[in-house]
């Protein structure tokens, strides 16, 4: 039985949910998965930091109030973040990185991943910024240092998409994908179909916790653009960046547009897509598309996400499920850890 020592970088909802899962399920994982997780360090820009090489109490961590300097309440805790010490020196084998997404330069998350990889630690992350903006460099760094780098939660949280396509669709060439990759915008469009105005629908999405504090990234397609870059590079070997993705959001759609679509047995959806062209290049876009009601993505309502892969051997494969949420995204980190463990123990050829 393997014991992995884990450091949590960022202690918001996702890593708190991971701590809660560890508190509840670690014993079960020993028999079901063949490993256990011991949290040896936590650091957070707002809540401070704590290190204990013998292992922190996961339940006590998860129960801490979300207040400034909260980690100082634990023995040995500090009210200030110690990112470098926790990532490099707390004795962790792996880092669970779940800090905020910076869509401009991916920082500070990219540096956190880099420090960990350079110091021979596996990284699992849910953060779109480092993957969309610096994915190739970080993957190369991981390979050079012979450690794993997994990021299933960067697209559609815990709903399996990246690894499913990479591993389970291997052997059947994927020539493109189209998806509903932002829960907020899909929720807004669904509410508008019930007659709610755009601004009111956005406010509801914020109240329900789907939208970012500044929902511009959700409704203008910027969040989807990062996910399109990640999927296109991962599944189509596209080597594109955000500037290669044509991007339009849903803010210009009116209740009149939505109603007119309904009368024509169609629905507006914000679609992130990429396709391999005959010359080998890849075209990628984010845009509102009018889908006929019999399209596989037309019936995906509310905050649910879905993506359809176009494959040569089995046609179109559509996966649908949650695209956000604390536990859902923490599950993605767990699935990354399982994948790393399987790579280490089974020497699988599908390991990155
Ligand atoms: N705000 C995002 C959404 C969260 O609504 O889908 C997940 O990236």
């Amino acid at each position: 039985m393997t014991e992995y020592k884990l450091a949590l970088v960022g202690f918001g909802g996702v890593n708190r949910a991971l701590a809660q899962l560890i508190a509840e399920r670690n014993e079960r994982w020993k028999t079901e998965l063949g490993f256990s997780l011991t949290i040896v360090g936590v650091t957070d820009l707002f809540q401070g930091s704590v290190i204990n090489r013998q292992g922190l109490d996961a339940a006590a961590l998860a129960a801490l109030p979300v207040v400034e300097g909260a980690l100082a309440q634990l023995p040995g805790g500090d009210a200030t973040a110690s990112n470098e010490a926790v990532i490099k020196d707390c004795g962790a084998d792996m880092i669970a990185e779940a800090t905020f997404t910076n869509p401009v330069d991916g920082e500070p998350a990219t540096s956190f991943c880099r420090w960990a990889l350079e110091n021979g630690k596996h990284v699992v992350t849910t953060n779109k910024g480092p993957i969309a903006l610096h994915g190739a460099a970080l993957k190369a760094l991981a390979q050079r240092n012979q450690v794993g780098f997994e990021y299933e939660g960067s697209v559609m949280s815990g709903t399996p998409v990246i690894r499913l396509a990479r591993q389970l669709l291997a052997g059947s060439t994927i020539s493109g994908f189209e998806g509903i990759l932002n829960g907020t915008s899909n929720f807004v469009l669904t509410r508008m179909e019930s007659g709610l105005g755009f601004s009111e629908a956005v406010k509801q999405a914020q109240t329900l916790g789907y939208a970012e504090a500044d929902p511009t990234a959700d409704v203008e397609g910027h969040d989807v653009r990062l996910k399109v870059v990640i999927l296109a590079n991962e599944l189509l070997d596209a080597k594109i960046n955000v500037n290669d993705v044509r991007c339009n959001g849903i803010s210009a759609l009116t209740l009149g547009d939505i109603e007119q679509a309904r009368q024509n047995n169609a629905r507006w959806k914000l679609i992130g897509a990429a396709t391999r062209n005959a010359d080998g290049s890849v075209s990628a876009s984010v845009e509102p598309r009018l889908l006929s009601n019999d399209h596989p993505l037309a019936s995906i309502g509310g905050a649910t996400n879905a993506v359809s892969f176009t494959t040569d051997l089995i046609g179109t494969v559509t996966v649908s499920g949650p695209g956000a949420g604390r536990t859902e995204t923490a599950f993605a980190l767990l699935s990354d850890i399982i994948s790393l463990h399987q790579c280490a123990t089974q020497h699988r050829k599908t390991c990155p």
Side-chain angles (χ1 to χ4, degrees):
M1 211 275 303
T2 311
E3 181 201 18
Y4 292 112
K5 292 184 187 284
L6 180 68
L8 308 181
V9 180
F11 199 51
V14 172
N15 265 339
R16 277 174 177 261
L18 183 60
Q20 185 68 37
L21 286 177
I22 292 169
E24 291 168 1
R25 300 187 181 211
N26 224 5
E27 283 307 308
R28 202 168 119 185
W29 292 343
K30 286 181 187 169
T31 47
E32 283 182 7
L33 303 175
F35 64 79
S36 69
L37 299 176
T38 301
I39 302 171
V40 291
V42 185
T43 183
D44 183 274
L45 293 172
F46 177 66
Q47 296 169 84
S49 57
V50 62
I51 292 175
N52 183 338
R53 289 167 171 267
Q54 306 313 313
L56 292 153
D57 180 339
L61 276 169
L64 280 176
V66 185
V67 293
E68 191 165 3
L71 291 162
Q73 295 179 23
L74 296 176
D78 196 311
T80 54
S82 301
N83 300 319
E84 211 153 346
V86 166
I87 293 169
K88 295 182 181 174
D89 304 326
C90 75
D93 310 303
M94 60 173 72
I95 303 296
E97 194 283 324
T99 62
F100 65 96
T101 291
N102 175 343
V104 178
D105 61 8
E107 290 296 352
T110 302
S111 291
F112 296 160
C113 294
R114 208 178 53 242
W115 294 345
L117 297 171
E118 283 168 350
N119 283 271
K121 294 161 196 311
H122 304 294
V123 171
V124 296
T125 178
T126 59
N127 202 315
K128 296 169 283 246
I131 316 302
L133 303 173
H134 304 288
L138 290 170
K139 273 198 267 190
L141 185 60
Q143 254 182 353
R144 278 203 300 281
N145 287 281
Q146 297 187 313
V147 286
F149 180 52
E150 294 284 330
Y151 36 85
E152 180 65 54
S154 62
V155 179
M156 283 175 65
S157 71
T159 304
V161 174
I162 295 175
R163 209 171 290 110
L164 178 140
R166 195 205 281 157
Q167 295 181 356
L168 302 183
L169 296 178
S172 177
T173 304
I174 299 173
S175 58
F177 64 85
E178 55 179 4
I180 293 171
L181 299 170
N182 181 269
T184 299
S185 52
N186 204 50
F187 174 86
V188 167
L189 291 173
T190 306
R191 295 298 288 126
M192 287 174 78
E193 286 169 11
S194 311
L196 200 68
F198 176 82
S199 307
E200 290 73 21
V202 172
K203 273 188 208 129
Q204 276 194 6
Q206 283 178 299
T207 309
L208 290 165
Y210 305 139
E212 311 293 324
D214 174 4
T216 314
D218 294 304
V219 296
E220 297 302 352
H222 306 155
D223 174 70
V224 178
R225 182 167 55 179
L226 294 176
K227 294 164 181 169
V228 166
V229 169
I230 294 170
L231 287 182
N233 287 344
E234 194 69 31
L235 310 181
L236 304 176
D237 197 22
K239 299 183 176 64
I240 59 170
N241 61 50
V242 286
N243 298 322
D244 298 316
V245 184
R246 200 175 66 246
C247 183
N248 289 298
I250 59 166
S251 59
L253 286 175
T254 64
L255 284 173
D257 296 326
I258 305 275
E259 172 56 20
Q260 194 175 20
R262 191 189 64 77
Q263 288 173 12
N264 292 318
N265 296 318
R267 287 196 167 108
W268 284 102
K269 294 290 183 190
L270 182 64
I271 300 295
T275 316
R276 188 185 304 290
N277 304 309
D279 66 357
S281 64
V282 170
S283 304
S285 63
V286 180
E287 63 191 3
R289 283 193 196 166
L290 192 58
L291 304 185
S292 140
N293 282 348
D294 57 7
H295 188 285
L297 298 179
S299 60
I300 305 297
T304 303
N305 283 198
V307 63
S308 293
F309 301 105
T310 309
T311 75
D312 61 345
L313 297 184
I314 53 170
T316 300
V317 177
T318 301
V319 184
S320 134
R326 300 173 55 210
T327 305
E328 294 85 343
T329 311
F331 171 74
L333 292 173
L334 173 64
S335 76
D336 285 342
I337 295 169
I338 294 169
S339 177
L340 291 176
H341 177 69
Q342 290 173 343
C343 277
T345 55
Q346 297 169 7
H347 306 292
R348 282 198 335 249
K349 284 204 166 60
T350 48
C351 292

